[in-house]
């Protein structure tokens, strides 16, 4: 989905540490799934409303959730920690005991005896309200509907566990769920006492060149093994490839170097060439960078080692070496039409690509581009990834014209406040190498809405389970989050 993938990769993007060029663009979420913990089976809220904004529509659906009450004492005034679900990977029983979603909440829950709950977002995982994913059915998918889901779910949990006003709720989440966690507190302050909104791009934006600008800056960041030379080499290699793609001989050379499925003829199709180069011929894992990963070229430090150590090889040859290590023996699929076809599948089983992309077309934008401008820090083929590609897909998949997408983005910021939400007791942590921080709250809008900068950290890395290899900055971030929440829980 060159354009499709602008944010689609949510369920996909980086399940594997090595996706070939021609992969989808980065969505908000990354991470793999662990085996489920059968101590915490799925439960269902049977009476969730389909349409919260139509009083005449009484249809309901089943919303999946998970509960960990190991630390909670019934009848106590202990808090409720709500892990908000989102685009993916799907919530599982692990979400309330050990997962990438909200483990900062899980680890604190053990200390304060909190009731730990994780609830799925409509249209993701197994919480599908409609029989299809047609445009007509997807009209019930929005962040506003999801927040109303959380409000009704709040009542269900309070009734089920006999909770009172003494049981203060804290909402947690990272990425899009982090946005929702913050907005739940913002829009329902009478229900939610505080929120931790990690790596949340609260500023909806149509054209998002800053994503790839931060990728470029990450290649320079010494804290994760980057350097100016590394960035220069990656950008130089992509620029050289862009020049070669202008001739049939050059395309044949690139196809051979990078093992393109279909050979040079695949690169003859302009859309395929843009897909191949516009989001990188290699995977630069700024969003999901793990300093302790062990695979070859699995993080920025290891990529930069290859890019800067072999003085005899050209920058393009080094990129080809990294690409081969990342993809193995598989050829690179750059068939843009085939990748975009998933957006037209309206079945629940086969149309999952449509779901997050619908939200980008109707609420957020977030279309990652690689601008050919003097100020651009994009390390890829500049000018190959354009806003028009994504906007055309909104029209093809849903019949939504570009002007409507732009209007929807503006309405989202008007409704929520963008990166200056007017709330209280909301914490906004962001990582310095996470490209999504470019749309996050980096400066506290007010004293009661603090921002936390985590140097060298990728996308909400501190919400992952703690491990000995975590950097000092990530460890300190968790402790600041826990201290802040404890202070807020002591407030009325």
């Amino acid at each position: 989905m060159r354009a499709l993938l602008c944010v689609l990769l949510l369920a996909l993007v980086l399940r594997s540490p090595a996706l070939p060029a021609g992969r989808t663009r980065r969505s908000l979420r990354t991470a793999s799934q662990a085996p489920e913990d059968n101590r915490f089976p799925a439960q269902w809220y049977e009476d969730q409303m389909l349409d919260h904004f139509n009083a005449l529509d009484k249809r309901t659906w089943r919303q999946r959730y998970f509960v960990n009450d190991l630390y909670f004492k019934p009848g106590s005034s202990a808090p409720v920690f709500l892990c908000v679900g989102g685009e993916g990977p799907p919530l599982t029983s692990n979400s309330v005991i050990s997962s990438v979603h909200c483990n900062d909440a899980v680890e604190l829950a053990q200390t304060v005896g909190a009731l730990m709950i994780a609830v799925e977002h409509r249209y993701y995982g197994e919480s599908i309200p409609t029989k299809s994913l047609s445009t007509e059915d997807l009209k019930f998918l929005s962040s506003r509907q999801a927040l109303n889901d959380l409000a009704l779910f709040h009542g269900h949990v309070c009734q089920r566990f006999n909770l009172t006003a003494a049981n203060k709720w804290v909402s947690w989440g990272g990425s899009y769920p982090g946005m929702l966690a913050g907005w739940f507190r913002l829009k329902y302050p009478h229900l939610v006492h505080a929120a931790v909104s990690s790596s949340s791009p609260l500023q909806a934006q149509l054209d998002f060149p800053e994503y790839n600008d931060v990728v470029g800056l990450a290649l320079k960041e010494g804290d994760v093994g980057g350097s100016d030379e590394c960035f220069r080499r990656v950008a130089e290699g992509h620029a050289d490839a862009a020049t070669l793609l202008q001739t049939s001989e050059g395309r044949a050379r690139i196809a051979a170097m990078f093992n393109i499925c279909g050979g040079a003829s695949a690169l003859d199709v302009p859309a395929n060439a843009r897909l191949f180069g516009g989001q990188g011929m290699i995977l630069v894992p700024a969003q999901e960078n793990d300093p302790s990963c062990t695979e070859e070229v699995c993080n920025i430090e290891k990529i930069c080692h290859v890019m800067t150590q072999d003085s005899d090889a050209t920058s393009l040859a080094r990129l080809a070496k990294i690409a081969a290590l990342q993809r193995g023996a598989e050829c690179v699929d750059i068939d843009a039409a085939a990748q975009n076809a998933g957006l037209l599948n309206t079945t629940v089983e086969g149309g999952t690509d449509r779901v997050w992309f619908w939200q980008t077309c109707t609420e957020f934008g977030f279309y990652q581009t690689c601008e050919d401008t003097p100020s651009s820090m994009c390390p890829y083929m500049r000018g190959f990834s354009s806003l028009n590609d994504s906007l055309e897909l909104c029209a093809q998949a849903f019949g939504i014209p570009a002007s409507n997408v732009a209007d929807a983005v503006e309405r989202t910021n008007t409704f929520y406040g963008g990166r200056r939400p007017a709330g209280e007791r909301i914490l906004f942590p962001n990582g310095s190498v996470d490209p999504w921080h470019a749309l996050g709250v980096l400066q506290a809008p007010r004293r009661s809405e603090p921002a936390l900068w985590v140097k060298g950290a990728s996308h909400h890395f501190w919400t992952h389970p703690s491990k000995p290899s975590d950097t000092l900055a990530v460890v300190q971030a968790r402790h600041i989050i826990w201290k802040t929440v404890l202070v807020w829980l002591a407030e009325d």
Side-chain angles (χ1 to χ4, degrees):
M1 95 177 228
R2 151 207 181 75
L4 163 177
L5 305 154
C6 203
V7 239
L8 225 187
L9 208 187
L10 182 198
L12 248 184
V13 71
L14 241 30
R15 298 275 175 100
S16 146
L19 293 179
R23 62 192 175 280
T24 57
R25 299 181 186 175
R26 308 298 187 287
S27 70
L28 289 175
R29 173 78 61 180
T30 67
S32 58
Q33 295 288 79
E36 294 212 33
D37 190 323
N38 58 18
R39 293 178 296 168
F40 312 106
Q43 303 182 43
W44 300 88
Y45 174 36
E46 302 284 350
D47 300 315
Q48 188 57 267
M49 296 296 298
L50 177 63
D51 188 354
H52 296 280
F53 305 114
N54 182 354
L56 301 179
D57 191 339
K58 300 299 183 182
R59 288 176 292 174
T60 60
W61 57 282
R62 303 170 72 233
Q63 185 171 23
R64 189 170 68 151
Y65 67 100
F66 300 88
V67 177
N68 177 355
D69 59 0
L70 293 179
Y71 323 119
F72 181 72
K73 182 179 179 180
S76 72
S77 61
V80 179
F81 288 174
L82 179 67
C83 180
V84 181
E87 3 65 295
L91 296 183
T92 69
S93 58
N94 293 309
S95 302
V96 291
I97 193 63
S98 179
S99 80
V100 300
H101 295 281
C102 301
N103 229 64
D104 48 347
V106 171
E107 293 174 31
L108 183 60
Q110 301 175 48
T111 301
V112 299
L115 179 64
M116 185 72 218
I117 299 177
V119 61
E120 214 160 44
H121 189 298
R122 58 170 59 202
Y123 286 93
Y124 295 107
E126 296 185 18
S127 296
I128 311 297
T130 54
K131 294 181 178 180
S132 82
L133 300 178
S134 66
T135 301
E136 179 65 19
D137 281 339
L138 285 177
K139 70 182 181 182
F140 300 111
L141 171 60
S142 71
S143 62
R144 300 184 200 188
Q145 293 278 11
L147 289 177
N148 278 268
D149 289 342
L150 295 180
L152 284 191
F153 179 72
H154 178 283
H156 166 71
V157 171
C158 287
Q159 182 177 35
R160 178 183 166 186
F161 290 94
N162 296 314
L163 303 178
T164 69
N167 302 109
K168 297 172 181 175
W169 285 58
V170 181
S171 52
W172 306 70
S175 197
Y176 172 51
M179 297 161 67
L180 293 169
W183 289 337
F184 193 26
R185 165 63 185 162
L186 179 70
K187 294 299 184 179
Y188 292 91
H190 57 294
L191 301 181
V192 187
H193 185 73
V196 180
S197 177
S198 292
S199 296
S200 50
L202 293 183
Q203 182 72 28
Q205 186 168 299
L206 190 65
D207 188 359
F208 187 19
E210 295 91 343
Y211 184 99
N212 285 319
D213 286 345
V214 177
V215 172
L217 292 170
L219 288 169
K220 288 170 159 276
E221 187 159 330
D223 286 326
V224 293
S227 64
D228 290 346
E229 176 68 3
C230 180
F231 168 78
R232 186 186 72 79
R233 289 284 191 177
V234 173
E236 179 181 73
H238 279 88
D240 290 345
T243 299
L244 288 172
L245 289 177
Q246 304 309 309
T247 67
S248 57
E249 295 82 0
R251 289 191 290 275
R253 181 181 170 191
I254 292 294
M257 290 183 72
F258 289 86
N259 192 19
I260 302 296
C261 301
S265 60
L267 285 169
D268 290 339
V269 180
N272 294 351
R274 294 198 304 271
L275 172 61
F276 173 64
Q279 293 295 322
M281 299 185 296
I282 64 169
L283 174 63
V284 178
Q287 177 173 323
E288 57 280 344
N289 191 65
D290 181 355
S292 66
C293 68
T294 57
E295 297 86 357
E296 292 185 287
V297 293
C298 60
N299 60 27
I300 291 172
E301 181 178 21
K302 294 184 177 186
I303 287 172
C304 286
H305 179 79
V306 174
M307 291 303 302
T308 59
Q309 294 306 305
D310 186 355
S311 59
D312 294 331
T314 65
S315 297
L316 183 59
R318 299 178 205 203
L319 288 177
K321 177 179 179 179
I322 292 171
L325 290 171
Q326 288 183 334
R327 69 167 179 267
E330 294 183 9
C331 64
V332 180
D333 181 7
I334 61 169
D335 189 339
Q339 292 197 33
N340 292 339
L343 291 179
L344 305 180
N345 188 329
T346 62
T347 66
V348 170
E349 298 76 18
T352 53
D353 283 355
R354 288 173 62 83
V355 182
W356 176 247
F357 198 65
W358 165 267
Q359 288 197 260
T360 72
C361 295
T362 58
E363 295 190 84
F364 305 126
F366 293 155
Y367 302 119
Q368 300 146 25
T369 56
C370 187
E371 308 284 8
D372 187 13
T373 63
S375 62
S376 175
M377 289 298 296
C378 177
Y380 305 137
M381 294 188 196
R382 297 180 184 177
F384 275 57
S385 180
S386 75
L387 176 61
N388 285 339
D389 288 325
S390 295
L391 294 177
E392 287 173 7
L393 281 176
C394 288
Q396 292 174 24
F398 311 116
I400 302 174
S403 60
N404 288 26
V405 180
D407 290 344
V409 169
E410 184 176 352
R411 286 194 301 271
T412 296
N413 288 328
T414 298
F415 184 72
Y416 293 117
R419 57 168 58 94
R420 292 192 60 81
E424 290 185 335
R425 291 196 292 263
I426 307 174
L427 176 61
F428 299 104
N430 279 281
S432 67
V433 300
D434 173 21
W436 292 98
H437 83 237
L439 299 181
V441 177
L442 305 184
Q443 296 183 342
R446 53 193 52 76
R447 189 173 182 178
S448 59
E449 291 183 311
L452 173 60
W453 186 245
V454 189
K455 187 69 173 172
S458 55
H459 202 46
H460 62 89
F461 201 82
W462 49 91
T463 73
H464 297 203
S466 296
K467 55 185 180 180
S469 58
D470 287 338
T471 65
L472 178 61
V474 168
V475 172
Q476 290 177 334
R478 288 196 189 100
H479 284 281
I480 292 172
I481 291 169
W482 295 335
K483 181 179 179 179
T484 303
V485 171
L486 289 173
V487 168
W488 285 343
L489 285 174
E491 298 177 355
D492 293 330

